[in-house]
Amino acid sequence: MKKLAIVTSHPIQYYAPWFRYLANIGCLSIKVFYLWDFGVKQQVDEGFGQAFQWDIPLLNGYEYEFVTNVSPNPGTHHFWGLQNPSLISQVRAYNPDAVLLMSYNYASIYRLLWNWNTHNIPLLFRGDSHRLLPIKGIKAFVRRQFITQIYRYFAACLYVGKANYEYFQYHGVSKNNLFFSPHAIDNDRFSTQARTAKQQAITWKQELGIRQDHAVILFAGKFEETKRPIDLLQAFLQAKLDNVSLLFVGAGILEDDLKSQAAGQENIYFAPFQNQSLMPRTYAIADLVVLPSYGETWGLVINEAMCLARPVIVSNHVGCSQDLVHPGKNGLIFSAGDVSALADSLQAAFSDRKSLQQWGETSRRIISKYTYMEATQGLTQAIDHILKK
């Protein structure tokens, strides 16, 4: 059995179930090397602006070890947030056949790249960057040249979707070294809780004070500029929808601005950050989920919503838009930053409530093909490819 070392920043609620899946199917022997302990200990999240730890198991069912992080300000919000002097020696001690990196733009990862013998033990990379928001000028040119050089360290790259595939090709990665490993979540956890979540959502709707005969538009995530929650608030006010409420779930730097602009307006509600065990209920309360981000790498919130059979609206700068959103079939796509276009999309979605429900069922069918099994197939194909070289 081939041995794979996986190097990633910290335990993440989307990746941990995949690692568990990889360990259980028996096609690979894996060990995950974590560079930070966020998520399993209560710490402040920069985006949410509050301390928490995830309330689902992130370290069960697979082999892992933490690599000591000596950064005085640990985290993934800056380059020096991951400084792990023993990373290379710990990975070497595992004696893997290949190493998979889940990110690279941190001090520790660059040190590994520059000191690793890629001829003896090849490196793989799985990323989700895209160019849906293209940057021009001399800085963009220099950045392209630099990233192209970085990707030459990798024997193969795993792409999560169409926009990410184009990003890799733009930076010189041959299509022969690209393998599809789609972004996925624990679909089973969400789908098996759908019925219970629906009942919980009825009670929660009453607790929030939302009228039971109102449809609900949901924004769930960090209240930050990149995710553009204020665009959604303004679009909702423009759309003037009958019997529809808007619910913001989360926290972040824009919370005060959002609440200030919503003050005195009808049918706009707020709920605090919801931990992972409550996310099925969070989506179950919604009749439509909106992600208006300006530069979202993928948007796994959309995967989660679609598992609960929810129709979706996303901006064209959301990485999953080309893969998961089929306009007029399970949702709509609008131009990022265009509040009027988003308002028009909201009006179109609620012009036919029956079609909106059908969009939700289509969402469920689409997301059924974005699974850990599909992600694993791409990974194993890439490993077979690079070890035959």
Side-chain angles (χ1 to χ4, degrees):
M1 190 181 298
K2 297 179 180 67
K3 295 175 68 176
L4 177 69
I6 302 174
V7 179
T8 189
S9 58
H10 61 287
I12 295 173
Q13 69 272 29
Y14 306 118
Y15 291 162
W18 184 34
F19 299 156
R20 195 176 302 125
Y21 176 90
L22 286 170
N24 290 336
I25 61 174
C27 65
L28 289 170
S29 177
I30 72 163
K31 187 170 187 177
V32 181
F33 294 84
Y34 287 119
L35 310 184
W36 183 36
D37 61 1
F38 180 83
V40 294
K41 293 182 180 179
Q42 185 156 314
Q43 298 181 47
V44 173
D45 179 276
E46 291 288 326
F48 283 119
Q50 64 186 58
F52 70 91
Q53 68 184 84
W54 297 119
D55 65 354
I56 60 172
L58 299 180
L59 299 175
N60 295 352
Y62 62 93
E63 189 178 357
Y64 68 91
E65 64 184 62
F66 285 96
V67 185
T68 300
N69 186 0
V70 300
S71 172
N73 181 21
T76 55
H77 57 289
H78 67 119
F79 177 81
W80 298 106
L82 302 179
Q83 296 184 56
N84 312 80
S86 63
L87 173 61
I88 294 174
S89 61
Q90 287 183 235
V91 175
R92 280 177 179 160
Y94 179 58
N95 194 28
D97 295 293
V99 179
L100 170 63
L101 303 184
M102 305 292 279
S103 60
Y104 68 81
N105 203 23
Y106 299 101
S108 277
I109 306 298
Y110 280 116
R111 183 172 177 268
L112 185 148
L113 289 176
W114 293 331
N115 292 279
W116 194 258
N117 188 332
T118 57
H119 296 292
N120 288 345
I121 303 176
L123 299 177
L124 295 161
F125 178 67
R126 185 174 188 259
D128 57 9
S129 297
H130 58 67
R131 296 186 65 253
L132 297 177
L133 182 59
I135 303 172
K136 299 178 181 179
I138 186 63
K139 287 185 179 180
F141 174 79
V142 172
R143 178 179 173 83
R144 180 182 184 182
Q145 303 309 309
F146 177 74
I147 294 174
T148 298
Q149 293 302 316
I150 291 296
Y151 285 159
R152 290 180 178 175
Y153 285 95
F154 299 104
C157 293
L158 308 176
Y159 67 95
V160 299
K162 294 176 182 176
N164 183 220
Y165 177 87
E166 292 168 0
Y167 180 88
F168 280 128
Q169 289 225 298
Y170 177 77
H171 290 99
V173 182
S174 166
K175 65 179 181 180
N176 295 325
N177 294 330
L178 285 169
F179 297 86
F180 182 46
S181 179
H183 254 324
I185 63 160
D186 190 353
N187 288 11
D188 290 343
R189 181 171 78 87
F190 282 86
S191 59
T192 56
Q193 294 183 38
R195 182 174 297 180
T196 301
K198 186 176 181 180
Q199 294 302 314
Q200 293 173 337
I202 294 172
T203 302
W204 193 36
K205 197 172 185 180
Q206 292 173 336
E207 292 172 352
L208 291 171
I210 302 174
R211 289 179 50 173
Q212 288 297 324
D213 63 339
H214 271 214
V216 174
I217 299 169
L218 173 69
F219 174 98
K222 297 175 181 178
F223 301 160
E224 60 186 10
E225 284 292 343
T226 299
K227 296 189 182 290
R228 310 288 287 200
I230 291 176
D231 285 4
L232 176 56
L233 172 60
Q234 294 173 345
F236 177 75
L237 295 175
Q238 262 189 46
K240 294 182 171 58
L241 302 168
D242 293 328
N243 301 318
V244 179
S245 290
L246 173 61
L247 174 60
F248 289 100
V249 177
I253 194 170
L254 294 179
E255 184 169 353
D256 289 343
D257 286 346
L258 275 169
K259 289 182 176 179
S260 175
Q261 293 190 37
Q265 304 291 342
E266 293 184 347
N267 304 324
I268 301 174
Y269 300 84
F270 292 85
F273 164 82
Q274 305 290 295
N275 214 317
Q276 281 297 297
S277 64
L278 293 174
M279 288 311 295
R281 181 192 72 169
T282 302
Y283 297 113
I285 202 174
D287 295 273
L288 175 69
V289 175
V290 181
L291 185 59
S293 301
Y294 206 92
E296 185 94 23
T297 53
W298 179 262
L300 285 161
V301 64
I302 298 300
N303 293 61
E304 293 177 338
M306 289 172 64
C307 280
L308 268 292
R310 293 301 176 253
V312 294
I313 292 178
V314 303
S315 84
N316 62 343
H317 288 170
V318 172
C320 71
S321 60
Q322 298 178 31
D323 303 87
L324 299 186
V325 186
H326 300 187
K329 296 182 179 179
N330 78 313
L332 295 168
I333 302 171
F334 71 98
S335 295
D338 189 335
V339 172
S340 294
L342 177 52
D344 291 344
S345 294
L346 295 177
Q347 290 174 336
F350 285 100
S351 64
D352 186 340
R353 302 292 178 93
K354 187 174 181 180
S355 292
L356 195 61
Q357 290 181 336
Q358 293 172 347
W359 285 8
E361 291 305 315
T362 303
S363 279
R364 195 205 307 269
R365 290 194 294 272
I366 293 170
I367 207 62
S368 67
K369 297 178 181 178
Y370 286 75
T371 66
Y372 292 140
M373 181 178 73
E374 298 291 335
T376 301
Q377 286 178 354
L379 172 61
T380 55
Q381 288 169 2
I383 292 172
D384 288 342
H385 172 72
I386 64 176
L387 294 183
K388 287 177 182 176
K389 288 185 176 181

